[in-house]
Amino acid sequence: MRGGQSLAEALESYLAEWGERSGIAVEIWALPAGEVPAGVCAGVMTAMREALDNVERHSGARTVSIAVTAGSGGLRVTVSDDGRGFHAAGTGHAKGRAAGQGIARMRAAFAEVGGSLSVNSVPGEGTTVTGVVPRRP
């Protein structure tokens, strides 16, 4: 990451900045303690920016919760908001073209580093985006 920052440090500063600018409360549940490969860091940061952009532009959320954990199985990123949610209609695309493109960009960021992304949303209850990057041998 920039200036030798770890993924956790980069996320912490980005999330603080984003929360202040957007006015949406950010709860950080977990950040990775160890080293994360540079390519994975870049993919996570790209996906995080897209996820938070979607939260800010489309959700009407008051709070967003973030958990990024690294374990023996790999890295898991979870972004949950308490916003309005949407009907996923089987495609994983949010209502509206921009949100669908944002989800596609998040999926692409995880796919580039061998990972996958899932989106679960319940109208009136919010949205959870989960990205997983398996550990490589």
Side-chain angles (χ1 to χ4, degrees), residues 16-49:
E17 224 173 76
W18 182 86
E20 187 141 324
R21 182 183 50 73
S22 70
I24 298 171
V26 177
E27 295 177 345
I28 299 174
W29 293 346
L31 293 175
E35 287 300 309
V36 176
V40 174
C41 288
V44 168
M45 291 304 294
T46 297
M48 185 66 68
R49 284 189 287 274

Side-chain angles (χ1 to χ4, degrees), residues 2 5 8-18:
R2 267 186 306 185
Q5 276 186 320
E9 291 165 333
L11 283 167
E12 246 175 8
S13 61
Y14 179 74
L15 293 169
E17 224 173 76
W18 182 86

Side-chain angles (χ1 to χ4, degrees), residues 3-137:
Q5 276 186 320
S6 70
L7 178 58
E9 291 165 333
L11 283 167
E12 246 175 8
S13 61
Y14 179 74
L15 293 169
E17 224 173 76
W18 182 86
E20 187 141 324
R21 182 183 50 73
S22 70
I24 298 171
V26 177
E27 295 177 345
I28 299 174
W29 293 346
L31 293 175
E35 287 300 309
V36 176
V40 174
C41 288
V44 168
M45 291 304 294
T46 297
M48 185 66 68
R49 284 189 287 274
E50 286 292 343
L52 293 176
D53 184 50
N54 278 352
V55 168
E56 186 176 5
R57 292 172 59 204
H58 304 292
S59 76
R62 291 180 315 281
T63 304
V64 63
S65 303
I66 309 291
V68 182
T69 56
S72 60
L75 185 87
R76 174 180 289 272
V77 177
T78 305
V79 178
S80 292
D81 70 60
D82 64 355
R84 65 180 63 95
F86 59 90
H87 290 283
T91 64
H93 289 294
K95 186 168 68 176
R97 195 174 160 90
Q101 291 173 348
I103 290 170
R105 284 190 290 270
M106 286 185 275
R107 280 203 169 101
F110 274 93
E112 275 183 35
V113 292
S116 61
L117 182 93
S118 64
V119 179
N120 291 306
S121 190
V122 177
E125 294 183 25
T127 301
T128 299
V129 173
T130 305
V132 177
V133 181
R135 183 175 300 280
R136 295 189 188 159

